[in-house]
C-alpha cells in the first residue's frame, strides 16, 4: 500500500544558500586574476560596467511582491544608507569626469534601479495607481523628504558660503564636480529613498515564492552585492602589504668610478592602487658617491595610479660629509573612492663612498 | 484671480528681480528685496494658516490633501526655480563681461554670491506655502479674537532688518586673497604678476571692496600697470609708458558684480613708489548698508611689492 504522504525525492543538485557569497567571490577572483595577468584597466572597467548592466537587468526581472528581499525594511534601509554614502563620496571625493567618478556613477545607477524595485515606484506613481495605505505613506515621505532636501541643500550652501573664504572656494570646486550629481540625486530620488526608509516590512499571505524565483532572487542579490562590494573591497586592498621588487646591477665602462644600476618597484593595492618606481644609476669613487641619473626631483613620479591619488610628500637627494649619497622618495597614496584611506610609501637609496649599498629600497 | 494668487505672483516678481542678470549690481537694494520677500512670506503664511508647517492631527481631510499635494508640487517647483537660477547666473556672467570687465582669473571665487544664496533659501522655504496659497480656494478664516495676535509675525521683518544691520557692523571684515606670478601681462626686462583681493563685511551679506592690480618689477621699481591715472614710474621710459592704456582687465579700482548688492560702496585707489623702488598700492573704501550712511564701515586693502618682486604686505 502506498503511503498517503508522498515522499519527495531530494534533488541531486540544490541551489546552495550561500549563492550571493559565491557570486561575489567568483567576480572578485576574476578581477584579481585580470590584475595579475595585467589586462588593461580599460578592459576591466568595461567588464565591470557590463556586469553592472547585467545586474540591473537581473534585478528588473525580479517580481516586486511580499517576501522578496527588497521587501524587507532592513535591506531597504541598507540600500538608502549606501546611496547616502555614495552621494557623500561624490560631494567630497572624485571629480565627475574621472575613472572613480564613473565607477561611483555606475553604482548610483544600480542603487537607484534597486530602489525603484524596492518601493514599487510608488513615489512617482499616479494617484489612481496607489491604494490608501501607499498614498498615506507617500505623502508622509514627501513631507519628510522636502524638509531633508531643503535643510541639506540650503544648509550646506549657506554654511559653506558663510564659514570662510576657503569653504567658499571649496564650494566653487565642488559645484563644478560631483555635487551637481548629488543635487540631482536628492531632487529626483529623495522621496523614493524616504519611502524605502519608512515603509515597514512587506508581509504577504501567499506561500513562499517558487524555487526558481528564489534562485533568481539569490542570484540577483549576489550580483548586486558583488557590484557594490567589489570597488569597496578593491579600495580596501590599499591597506594590504606592500609588494616590492628590487634589482641592483653593476655597470662597467663608466668614467665616474664604480657605478651601479638600481631598479625598485613598490606596489600597494590590488587593481586599485599605485606603483612607485625608482630607476637610477649612482657611482662611487672612494671619496664620495654621486648620482649619474635618475635621482632628481623630476624622477619622483608615480609609475601608475589606479583609482587612487598620489601626492609626493618628499623627494630629496643629499650627500653627507662622509660622501654617502642618500635619496628619499616618499608619497602618500589616497583612495579615490574611500578618501579616508591612505598609505605612505617610501623608497630609499643609501650608497656609501666605497660603493657599498647601505640601504635599498 | 484671488488675492492669494496675486500675492504669489508678487512674490515671484520680487524673487525674479533678485536673481535677474541685469542690473549686474543692485547697489545696496538687495536687502530691500529680501525684506520685501520676507514680508510676503509672512503674509502668505498667515493667509494659509501656516498649513505647510501644521501637524497632521489638527487638519481636516481637505487641508491634509491640499498640504500633501503642495509638498509634491514643491519638489518640482524647487527644481524649476534652481534651473532658472542657473540660467540667470550664466546670463549674469555674460552681462557682467560686457558691462564691466570680469575679474582676474586668479580672483577669489564667488560661485553663487549673496544674492543667489538669499534667493535659494527663499525658494526652499516658501515653495510649499506658495503652492498652498495658489491652490486654496479661500484664505484661512482667523478667529476674531486672534486678529491682533495674527499680525505679530510681521514683526519678524523689522527684527530681521535690525539683526542684519547689527551683523554687518559687528562681524569682523574678512579678506580673500589671490595672486599669480608670472601673470597675464608680459613686459620686456620686467616680471609681472596679477593680484586680486576682496574684503567683505557681514560675512558676504554686507558690501565689499576689491583690489585688482597688475604689478611689474624690473629690479629698479615695482609699479602698477593698466591704470593711466596712477603716476608713471620713473624707471620706465616715457615712450614705453605712453604705450600703456587703461585696461580694467589688468587694474581696476571699481567694485564688481556681487560686491555692492547688499551695501553701497565707494572706493579709491592710490599708488606710491618710494625711493627704494617699493610700490605701495592701497584701496580705501566706505561701505554703508542702509540709507543715510547708517552702519557705514571703512575698509582698506594694501599691497606692497619690492623692486625685485618680493611681496612685503598683501591684505
Amino acid at each position: 500500500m502506498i503511503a498517503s504522504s508522498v515522499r519527495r525525492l531530494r534533488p541531486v543538485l540544490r541551489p546552495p544558500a550561500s549563492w550571493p557569497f559565491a557570486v561575489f567571490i567568483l567576480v572578485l577572483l576574476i578581477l584579481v586574476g585580470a590584475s595579475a595577468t595585467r589586462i588593461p584597466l580599460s578592459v576591466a572597467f568595461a567588464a565591470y560596467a557590463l556586469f553592472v548592466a547585467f545586474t540591473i537587468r537581473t534585478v528588473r526581472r525580479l517580481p516586486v511582491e511580499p517576501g522578496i528581499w527588497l521587501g524587507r525594511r532592513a535591506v531597504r534601509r541598507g540600500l538608502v544608507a549606501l546611496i547616502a554614502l555614495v552621494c557623500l563620496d561624490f560631494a567630497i571625493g572624485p571629480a565627475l569626469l574621472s575613472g572613480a567618478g564613473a565607477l561611483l556613477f555606475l553604482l548610483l545607477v544600480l542603487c537607484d534601479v534597486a530602489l525603484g524595485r524596492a518601493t514599487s515606484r510608488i513615489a512617482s506613481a499616479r494617484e489612481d495607481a496607489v491604494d490608501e495605505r501607499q498614498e498615506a505613506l507617500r505623502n508622509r515621505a514627501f513631507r519628510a523628504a522636502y524638509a531633508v532636501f531643503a535643510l541639506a541643500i540650503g544648509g550646506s550652501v549657506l554654511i559653506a558660503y558663510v564659514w570662510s573664504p576657503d569653504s567658499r572656494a571649496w564650494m566653487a570646486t565642488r559645484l563644478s564636480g560631483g555635487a551637481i550629481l548629488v543635487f540631482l540625486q536628492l531632487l529626483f530620488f529623495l522621496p523614493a529613498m524616504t519611502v524605502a526608509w519608512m515603509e515597514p516590512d512587506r508581509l504577504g499571505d501567499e506561500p513562499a515564492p517558487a524555487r526558481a524565483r528564489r534562485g533568481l532572487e539569490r542570484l540577483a542579490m549576489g550580483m548586486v552585492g558583488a557590484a557594490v562590494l567589489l570597488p569597496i573591497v578593491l579600495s580596501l586592498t590599499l591597506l594590504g602589504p606592500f609588494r616590492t621588487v628590487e634589482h641592483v646591477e653593476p655597470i662597467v665602462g663608466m668614467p665616474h668610478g664604480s657605478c651601479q644600476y638600481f631598479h625598485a618597484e613598490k606596489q600597494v593595492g590590488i587593481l586599485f592602487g599605485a606603483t612607485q618606481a625608482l630607476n637610477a644609476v649612482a657611482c662611487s669613487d672612494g671619496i664620495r658617491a654621486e648620482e649619474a641619473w635618475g635621482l632628481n626631483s623630476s624622477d619622483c613620479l608615480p609609475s601608475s595610479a589606479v583609482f587612487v591619488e598620489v601626492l609626493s610628500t618628499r623627494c630629496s637627494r643629499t650627500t653627507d660629509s662622509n660622501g654617502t649619497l642618500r635619496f628619499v622618495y616618499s608619497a602618500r597614496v589616497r583612495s579615490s573612492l574611500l578618501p579616508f584611506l591612505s598609505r605612505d610609501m617610501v623608497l630609499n637609496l643609501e650608497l656609501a663612498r666605497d660603493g657599498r649599498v647601505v640601504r635599498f629600497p | 484671480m484671488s488675492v492669494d494668487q496675486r500675492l504669489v505672483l508678487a512674490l515671484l516678481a520680487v524673487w525674479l528681480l533678485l536673481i535677474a542678470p541685469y542690473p549686474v549690481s543692485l547697489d545696496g537694494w538687495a536687502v530691500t528685496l529680501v525684506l520685501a520677500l520676507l514680508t510676503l512670506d509672512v503674509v502668505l503664511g498667515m493667509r494659509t494658516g501656516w498649513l505647510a508647517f501644521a501637524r497632521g492631527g489638527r487638519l481636516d481631510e481637505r487641508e491634509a490633501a491640499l498640504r500633501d499635494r503642495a509638498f509634491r508640487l514643491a519638489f518640482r517647483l524647487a527644481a524649476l526655480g534652481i534651473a532658472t537660477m542657473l540660467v540667470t547666473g550664466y546670463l549674469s556672467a555674460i552681462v557682467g563681461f560686457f558691462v564691466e570687465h570680469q575679474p582676474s582669473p586668479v580672483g577669489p571665487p564667488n560661485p553663487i554670491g549673496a544674492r543667489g544664496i538669499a534667493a535659494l533659501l527663499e525658494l526652499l522655504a516658501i515653495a510649499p506655502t506658495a503652492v498652498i496659497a495658489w491652490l486654496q480656494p479661500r484664505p484661512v478664516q482667523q478667529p476674531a479674537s486672534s486678529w491682533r495676535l495674527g499680525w505679530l509675525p510681521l514683526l519678524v521683518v523689522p527684527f530681521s532688518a535690525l539683526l542684519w544691520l547689527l551683523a554687518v557692523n559687528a562681524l569682523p571684515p574678512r579678506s580673500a586673497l589671490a595672486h599669480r606670478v608670472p601673470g597675464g601681462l608680459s613686459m620686456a626686462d620686467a616680471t609681472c604678476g596679477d593680484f586680486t583681493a576682496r574684503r567683505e563685511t557681514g560675512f558676504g551679506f554686507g558690501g565689499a571692496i576689491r583690489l585688482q592690480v597688475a604689478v611689474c618689477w624690473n629690479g629698479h621699481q615695482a609699479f602698477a600697470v593698466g591704470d593711466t591715472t596712477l603716476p608713471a614710474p620713473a624707471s620706465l621710459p616715457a615712450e614705453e609708458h605712453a604705450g600703456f592704456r587703461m585696461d580694467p582687465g589688468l587694474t581696476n579700482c571699481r567694485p564688481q558684480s556681487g560686491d555692492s548688492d547688499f551695501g553701497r560702496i565707494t572706493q579709491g585707489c592710490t599708488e606710491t613708489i618710494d625711493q627704494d623702488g617699493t610700490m605701495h598700492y592701497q584701496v580705501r573704501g566706505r561701505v554703508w548698508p542702509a540709507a543715510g550712511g547708517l552702519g557705514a564701515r571703512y575698509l582698506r586693502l594694501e599691497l606692497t611689492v619690492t623692486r625685485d618682486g618680493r611681496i612685503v604686505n598683501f591684505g
Side-chain angles (χ1 to χ4, degrees):
Chain A
M1 186 176 173
I2 299 173
S4 56
S5 60
V6 176
R7 184 182 296 174
R8 287 175 184 258
L9 290 173
R10 278 191 182 179
V12 176
L13 291 173
R14 190 165 58 178
S18 56
W19 259 35
F21 184 68
V23 170
F24 171 69
I25 293 297
L26 182 65
V27 173
L28 184 62
L29 284 173
I30 288 171
L31 280 178
V32 169
S35 167
T37 57
R38 298 192 184 270
I39 289 178
L41 178 70
S42 54
V43 174
F45 188 81
Y48 176 75
L50 206 61
F51 177 70
V52 168
F54 272 125
T55 305
I56 291 172
R57 186 171 175 275
T58 306
V59 169
R60 286 178 69 90
R61 284 178 58 194
L62 277 180
V64 183
E65 58 187 36
I68 297 292
W69 59 287
L70 283 174
R72 296 179 202 135
R73 184 157 69 173
V75 174
R76 282 186 269 112
R77 284 187 170 181
L79 182 62
V80 170
L82 179 64
I83 293 174
L85 283 174
V86 172
C87 289
L88 187 65
D89 210 356
F90 255 126
I92 64 173
L96 193 57
L97 298 177
S98 67
L103 196 65
L104 282 177
F105 179 72
L106 281 176
L107 263 179
L108 201 57
V109 169
L110 177 62
C111 289
D112 287 337
V113 169
L115 184 70
R117 304 303 289 175
T119 59
S120 310
R121 297 197 191 95
I122 64 172
S124 54
R126 291 196 324 267
E127 286 188 13
D128 54 359
V130 295
D131 59 32
E132 278 187 15
R133 184 193 66 85
Q134 291 172 326
E135 177 75 10
L137 172 66
R138 178 170 75 171
N139 290 336
R140 272 195 1 253
F142 262 92
R143 288 199 303 275
Y146 189 85
V148 169
F149 178 77
L151 285 172
I153 300 297
S156 57
V157 169
L158 178 66
I159 290 172
Y161 185 81
V162 163
W163 190 260
S164 72
D166 290 335
S167 66
R168 209 177 285 179
W170 173 84
M171 182 169 62
T173 57
R174 298 322 303 168
L175 281 178
S176 56
I180 291 290
L181 199 67
V182 172
F183 168 72
L184 292 174
Q185 170 71 23
L186 292 181
L187 187 65
F188 292 112
F189 292 97
L190 190 57
M193 290 165 64
T194 313
V195 168
W197 187 270
M198 294 167 74
E199 189 181 14
D201 289 344
R202 287 203 209 107
L203 302 173
D205 299 327
E206 295 82 5
R211 184 163 292 159
R213 283 215 299 269
R214 276 211 307 273
L216 182 65
E217 175 190 341
R218 285 174 183 163
L219 177 66
M221 193 158 67
M223 291 176 76
V224 169
V228 167
L229 290 176
L230 203 58
I232 297 173
V233 167
L234 290 176
S235 296
L236 287 174
T237 61
L238 194 69
L239 300 176
F242 293 115
R243 302 180 298 283
T244 307
V245 168
E246 60 188 84
H247 175 70
V248 181
E249 184 182 321
I251 297 178
V252 296
M254 290 194 69
H256 308 290
S258 161
C259 297
Q260 299 177 77
Y261 169 68
F262 299 90
H263 169 75
E265 273 188 17
K266 187 176 264 189
Q267 197 175 3
V268 69
I270 297 174
L271 209 65
F272 288 12
T275 303
Q276 195 185 21
L278 173 68
N279 293 286
V281 169
C283 304
S284 50
D285 57 5
I287 300 172
R288 59 189 282 124
E290 283 183 349
E291 171 243 10
W293 56 264
L295 298 177
N296 301 299
S297 56
S298 57
D299 297 309
C300 292
L301 295 171
S303 175
S304 73
V306 177
F307 292 118
V308 294
E309 292 162 13
V310 180
L311 178 65
S312 177
T313 53
R314 186 179 171 194
C315 183
S316 68
R317 185 186 77 221
T318 56
T319 307
D320 64 15
S321 54
N322 292 329
T324 300
L325 171 71
R326 286 190 181 87
F327 176 76
V328 178
Y329 169 28
S330 67
R332 174 155 292 177
V333 181
R334 194 177 73 145
S335 169
S336 296
L337 290 184
L338 304 175
F340 52 87
L341 282 183
S342 64
R343 292 289 296 278
D344 289 324
M345 301 172 70
V346 183
L347 286 176
N348 291 284
L349 171 62
E350 273 187 49
L351 182 67
R353 63 186 181 185
D354 58 0
R356 182 172 50 91
V357 179
V358 176
R359 186 177 179 187
F360 181 71
Chain B
M1 187 174 284
S2 67
V3 172
D4 293 334
Q5 289 176 336
R6 289 197 173 100
L7 285 172
V8 171
L9 288 178
L11 183 83
L12 178 65
V14 177
W15 187 80
L16 285 173
L17 203 58
L18 188 61
I19 65 166
Y22 191 83
V24 174
S25 171
L26 289 175
D27 207 23
W29 285 97
V31 67
T32 307
L33 293 178
V34 169
L35 291 175
L37 284 172
L38 199 56
T39 306
L40 288 167
D41 292 347
V42 173
V43 170
L44 281 174
M46 291 191 307
R47 288 182 69 84
T48 60
W50 303 103
L51 187 59
F53 306 97
R55 289 183 186 276
R58 300 184 325 176
L59 304 179
D60 60 33
E61 277 189 19
R62 184 193 67 84
E63 290 169 337
L66 177 62
R67 181 192 62 178
D68 295 335
R69 191 167 166 220
F71 271 97
R72 285 207 298 275
L73 291 174
F75 257 103
R76 296 176 201 168
L77 198 64
L80 184 63
I82 291 172
T84 306
M85 288 178 66
L86 289 173
V87 170
T88 56
Y90 179 69
L91 291 174
S92 226
I94 296 176
V95 171
F97 177 77
F98 287 105
V99 171
E100 60 185 64
H101 284 269
Q102 59 189 354
S104 158
V106 295
N110 202 9
I112 294 179
R115 265 166 87 174
I117 299 281
L120 177 67
L121 295 177
E122 167 68 17
L123 172 70
L124 294 173
I126 205 58
T129 301
V131 172
I132 290 172
W134 186 269
L135 294 177
Q136 72 177 3
R138 60 183 183 278
V140 170
Q141 295 297 323
Q142 297 278 358
S145 60
S146 68
W147 264 110
R148 268 178 294 180
L149 198 63
W151 292 104
L152 265 182
L154 276 173
L155 287 178
V156 78
V157 177
F159 180 74
S160 299
L162 189 64
L163 196 65
W164 170 76
L165 206 60
L166 281 172
V168 166
N169 274 273
L171 292 172
R174 280 197 318 206
S175 299
L177 317 172
H179 70 277
R180 182 179 64 175
V181 178
L185 178 69
S186 60
M187 187 185 291
D189 302 323
T191 305
C192 301
D194 297 322
F195 296 83
T196 309
R198 186 173 184 269
R199 194 160 174 83
E200 64 186 21
T201 61
F203 284 9
F205 289 95
I209 61 170
R210 190 177 284 264
L211 177 152
Q212 182 191 336
V213 61
V215 180
C216 297
W217 51 91
N218 56 13
H220 303 290
Q221 287 181 314
F223 48 91
V225 178
D227 186 352
T228 53
T229 63
L230 299 174
S235 62
L236 204 62
E239 60 272 16
E240 189 169 352
H241 187 259
F244 292 133
R245 62 187 196 289
M246 284 293 283
D247 189 347
L250 292 175
T251 298
N252 197 341
C253 193
R254 288 185 332 181
Q256 301 196 357
S257 60
D259 293 342
S260 55
D261 288 330
F262 281 85
R264 303 195 69 181
I265 301 169
T266 56
Q267 70 176 52
C269 306
T270 57
E271 180 206 25
T272 55
I273 304 173
D274 62 23
Q275 56 190 11
D276 294 329
T278 300
M279 180 205 76
H280 304 267
Y281 189 86
Q282 205 172 69
V283 176
R284 289 175 185 266
R286 181 170 174 258
V287 177
W288 68 102
L294 189 66
R297 296 187 75 166
Y298 292 89
L299 304 175
R300 194 169 65 184
L301 282 168
E302 293 177 346
L303 171 64
T304 305
V305 181
T306 63
R307 62 187 181 187
D308 54 2
R310 188 167 55 92
I311 302 169
V312 175
N313 180 28
F314 186 26

